[in-house]
Amino acid sequence: MRVLAIRRPLRVAVVKKFYLMTSFSSQAGVECIAPLFQTVQETPQPVPTKVTGTIPKWIRGSLLRNGPGRFEFGSDKFNHWFDGMALMHNFKIENGSVTYLSKFLQSDSYTKNKSANRIVISEFGTVAMPDPCKSVFDRFMSKFKFTSTDNCSVSYVLYKGDYYVSTETNFMHKVDPENLSTLEKVDWSKFIAVNSATAHPHYDPDGTVYNMGNSYGKDGTRYNIFRVPPQKSIPGETLEGAQVVCSIEPEEKMKFAYYHSFGMSENYVVFVEQPLKLNIMKLMICQIRGKTFLESMSWDPELNTIFHVINKHTGKKHSLFHTKAFATFHQINAFEDQGCIVLDLCCQDDGGAVKLFQLQNLRKSGEDLKECFKQMGKAYPRRFVLPLDCSVKGDVATQPLNYSTATAAKTGDGKIWCIHENLHDHTLDSCGMEFPQINYAKYNTKKYRFFYGCSSQHIVGDSLVKVDVETKKAKIWKEDGYYPSEPIFVPYPNSVEEDDGVILSPVLTPDQHKNTFLLILDAKDFTEIARAEVPVNIPFGFHGIFVPQKT
């Protein structure tokens, strides 16, 4: 293996380990990461951190993070990583220093579980058991009462200038981004005909927000694309003005696709209907039979993945595009060029990975953990090109764009069949990449060159990666025994080039003798500028957002 050590900038006094690699080294064993998935205490008052290196004074604001932080109440334990109670984090950066605080979201799920000292609200992979103190009749009848969780542990979203934490149900919670106080609970279904919403909306430059959610009714299930106007909210208004742009029928009426995000270009929304399906009948009876939401999901690799293209201004549906089965959680970017939509996604060829995130798996060690890792499907960055003019003719695959090897061809039954282009070289072959981020403020819906993410030779990310979509080469930051979180790009003031800025990523460790730290990388050369060591344990989480300090 050829390894090139890169010289660290002179502004960093202490030499740390980081590499630009042509490939990852093989790993003899898989380190136990159980401490990253254990309950921690909240840190409700800001605590100082130990800074190594020099944090630029222009970085002023808060990196907010969200993810599970409590995995049991009394003797009841959650089964799945996604089930843990939402713990919100604030890394506040000001004048070259960093403070850290965290608070549990005061959701109904959290407060009711805490009050009862047991799990009383069902989650994604855990069914709440009936209260043993109730009568047999009451316990039986409780199985017919479905309560959707408001445990918003996935991400932060912005609507009308207000910050919310969200999950994938019909509930969000408004929060104070400064002190992480839980404010009001918001029910999407009171404002618009949806029973859920993704935790990954998209934003137009004027503040208009686009999102997706399912609706259930007498006409069956629909995938609804909706938008929320950008006007600043006033007390009591919340999501007024939200409207459905388009409703899409599922390919199978009694099974609808699971989706975590969607694509959006300047004029179009692209919904990816993947063969990771939720069975409606199973979903309806899962509570009665004591089954979890997770158990209603199934992966069918014999089905196609379908791209639905919708004009986001008019709601008009465009042609459908088909490709081989893959599963996706996160889109990277989408843009229009030469009469095509270029859609970049993180794709897995096996949709069963979500079931492997059981806590019993994540807490394994030795050969058991290594075996679980082998079963974990890897996600790879891929590009699809969808020709909008539908001029594709015949079954001969053509390249709609001369800078992409992605192809499209019309099959005998009239379907437009797409074949992807890989957006990576051999560097990521053995490890894949997830949690993609770009310079969103300037390059969302535009032709771009760089994206950032977490790569791994473990079940969770053990390195940060920057990929150049033109050359497909990757730069890697990695330090043994540490596990970085989703990288967030923060641009330099008045930046000119796409990668003028820094990357912020909390880096965790299962080693109780080492400290978690907030890592700050130069986004251009991917070298470390500084790190801020946090004196408390932080569990592995999901997504975050940078909130600039108000001037």
Side-chain angles (χ1 to χ4, degrees):
M1 180 192 74
R2 183 177 170 224
V3 179
L4 302 179
I6 304 179
R7 200 175 204 177
R8 187 171 298 284
L10 294 178
R11 60 184 177 271
V12 178
V14 180
V15 176
K16 306 293 181 184
K17 300 176 186 175
F18 67 98
Y19 306 99
L20 170 62
M21 298 189 229
T22 57
S23 63
F24 282 89
S25 61
S26 60
Q27 197 167 351
V30 181
E31 180 182 24
C32 178
I33 54 172
L36 302 182
F37 302 94
Q38 303 287 354
T39 294
V40 299
Q41 298 296 314
E42 63 182 5
T43 307
Q45 298 300 321
V47 295
T49 65
K50 178 184 177 182
V51 175
T52 301
T54 302
I55 299 176
K57 294 292 180 66
W58 65 263
I59 308 177
R60 301 176 69 226
S62 293
L63 174 66
L64 305 182
R65 291 274 303 159
N66 198 359
R70 180 164 179 172
F71 298 97
E72 67 281 313
F73 288 92
S75 60
D76 290 358
K77 302 180 187 300
F78 289 116
N79 299 322
H80 199 278
W81 179 27
F82 298 175
D83 299 342
M85 295 290 98
L87 180 63
M88 304 176 291
H89 312 263
N90 183 338
F91 296 84
K92 186 175 183 179
I93 308 172
E94 187 176 20
N95 296 323
S97 64
V98 179
T99 58
Y100 170 80
L101 68 86
S102 65
K103 288 182 181 179
F104 282 105
L105 177 69
Q106 298 300 301
S107 63
D108 290 346
S109 297
Y110 177 81
T111 56
K112 289 178 180 180
N113 289 341
K114 187 176 180 181
S115 176
N117 197 32
R118 66 184 187 87
I119 297 171
V120 299
I121 304 293
S122 294
E123 299 290 339
F124 178 75
T126 304
V127 174
M129 293 296 103
D131 187 346
C133 296
K134 290 184 176 181
S135 67
V136 173
F137 176 76
D138 286 339
R139 277 182 281 166
F140 174 75
M141 291 304 297
S142 70
K143 292 186 176 184
F144 297 90
K145 299 176 182 179
F146 180 76
T147 303
S148 183
T149 180
D150 66 338
N151 176 36
C152 300
S153 63
V154 179
S155 188
Y156 287 86
V157 293
L158 185 62
Y159 290 100
K160 298 188 176 185
D162 294 320
Y163 288 90
Y164 298 82
V165 286
S166 63
T167 181
E168 296 183 328
T169 67
N170 55 305
F171 295 117
M172 298 190 302
H173 281 274
K174 186 185 292 186
V175 297
D176 185 325
E178 181 70 19
N179 60 27
L180 302 182
S181 296
T182 303
L183 304 177
E184 63 187 282
K185 177 180 174 179
V186 177
D187 183 348
W188 274 108
S189 64
K190 292 182 178 180
F191 297 91
I192 196 168
V194 294
N195 300 98
S196 64
T198 81
H200 292 289
H202 279 295
Y203 307 91
D204 271 348
D206 68 353
T208 301
V209 186
Y210 289 84
N211 207 340
M212 288 193 62
N214 289 345
S215 64
Y216 312 101
K218 61 181 181 180
D219 296 326
T221 301
R222 295 288 188 276
Y223 309 113
N224 285 341
I225 298 166
F226 59 90
R227 63 172 162 244
V228 180
Q231 290 83 7
K232 173 68 177 176
S233 71
I234 57 177
E237 186 184 51
T238 316
L239 300 174
E240 290 291 345
Q243 60 180 178
V244 173
V245 175
C246 180
S247 289
I248 303 168
E249 292 187 20
E251 184 186 25
E252 298 179 89
K253 288 187 177 181
M254 297 309 294
K255 292 182 180 180
F256 59 92
Y258 170 78
Y259 54 96
H260 185 71
S261 66
F262 59 98
M264 188 180 83
S265 65
E266 183 179 1
N267 297 295
Y268 296 92
V269 166
V270 183
F271 166 53
V272 183
E273 188 174 15
Q274 59 188 344
L276 179 58
K277 298 295 183 79
L278 290 152
N279 187 305
I280 294 176
M281 289 304 298
K282 286 185 178 180
L283 197 59
M284 292 172 62
I285 64 175
C286 66
Q287 174 122 340
I288 300 173
R289 298 179 58 192
K291 301 292 184 180
T292 66
F293 184 92
L294 175 62
E295 289 175 278
S296 70
M297 297 178 69
S298 62
W299 167 249
D300 190 346
E302 300 302 317
L303 297 176
N304 294 165
T305 291
I306 303 172
F307 301 111
H308 297 261
V309 176
I310 296 93
N311 186 305
K312 72 182 191 183
H313 307 297
T314 66
K316 183 180 178 181
K317 300 174 185 176
H318 210 280
S319 299
L320 300 180
F321 300 87
H322 295 250
T323 191
K324 70 174 185 178
F326 71 80
T328 182
F329 287 97
H330 302 112
Q331 78 118 32
I332 303 171
N333 198 10
F335 59 91
E336 296 160 40
D337 190 22
Q338 301 175 43
C340 299
I341 294 176
V342 180
L343 178 65
D344 297 344
L345 306 163
C346 289
C347 304
Q348 302 177 26
D349 291 324
D350 184 352
V354 66
K355 294 188 177 182
L356 292 174
F357 287 120
Q358 300 278 359
L359 287 169
Q360 63 179 5
N361 292 329
L362 298 174
R363 293 169 178 170
K364 288 177 179 178
S365 60
E367 288 300 317
D368 290 338
L369 183 60
K370 190 174 181 179
E371 187 59 35
C372 185
F373 168 70
K374 289 179 181 178
Q375 299 176 42
M376 189 70 64
K378 296 179 178 62
Y380 295 98
R382 293 173 179 171
R383 169 166 289 177
F384 294 88
V385 177
L386 314 178
L388 289 169
D389 61 7
C390 297
S391 61
V392 178
K393 297 179 181 179
D395 57 0
V396 178
T398 59
Q399 293 179 212
L401 297 177
N402 58 12
Y403 57 81
S404 174
T405 59
T407 63
K410 188 166 287 187
T411 59
D413 56 4
K415 293 179 180 178
I416 302 175
W417 186 260
C418 299
I419 297 178
H420 69 267
E421 171 192 10
N422 289 325
L423 288 182
H424 65 92
D425 64 8
H426 65 279
T427 307
L428 301 183
D429 282 349
S430 64
C431 48
M433 195 215 78
E434 257 294 356
F435 292 121
Q437 287 287 325
I438 62 169
N439 182 345
Y440 192 95
K442 288 190 174 182
Y443 287 88
N444 179 51
T445 76
K446 296 179 175 63
K447 191 174 182 180
Y448 73 114
R449 184 166 179 178
F450 303 107
F451 63 85
Y452 312 87
C454 290
S455 192
S456 181
Q457 284 199 328
H458 207 296
I459 290 179
V460 297
D462 59 13
S463 56
L464 293 172
V465 59
K466 173 187 179 180
V467 177
D468 183 329
V469 299
E470 292 184 5
T471 66
K472 301 184 181 178
K473 294 188 180 300
K475 292 182 179 180
I476 306 292
W477 181 96
K478 180 179 173 65
E479 189 164 326
D480 290 343
Y482 287 94
Y483 299 85
S485 307
E486 174 189 54
I488 300 296
F489 179 88
V490 182
Y492 288 130
N494 304 313
S495 60
V496 176
E497 296 186 6
E498 181 181 341
D499 55 352
D500 281 344
V502 298
I503 293 296
L504 304 180
S505 174
V507 181
L508 316 181
T509 177
D511 189 337
Q512 302 303 296
H513 301 291
K514 298 179 181 178
N515 283 334
T516 289
F517 57 89
L518 175 65
L519 176 67
I520 304 175
L521 295 178
D522 185 310
K524 187 173 291 292
D525 59 22
F526 232 50
T527 56
E528 181 176 333
I529 296 173
R531 62 175 65 186
E533 294 188 10
V534 181
V536 299
N537 294 327
I538 299 176
F540 205 87
F542 298 129
H543 299 288
I545 188 174
F546 183 76
V547 180
Q549 190 175 82
K550 293 181 179 179
T551 56

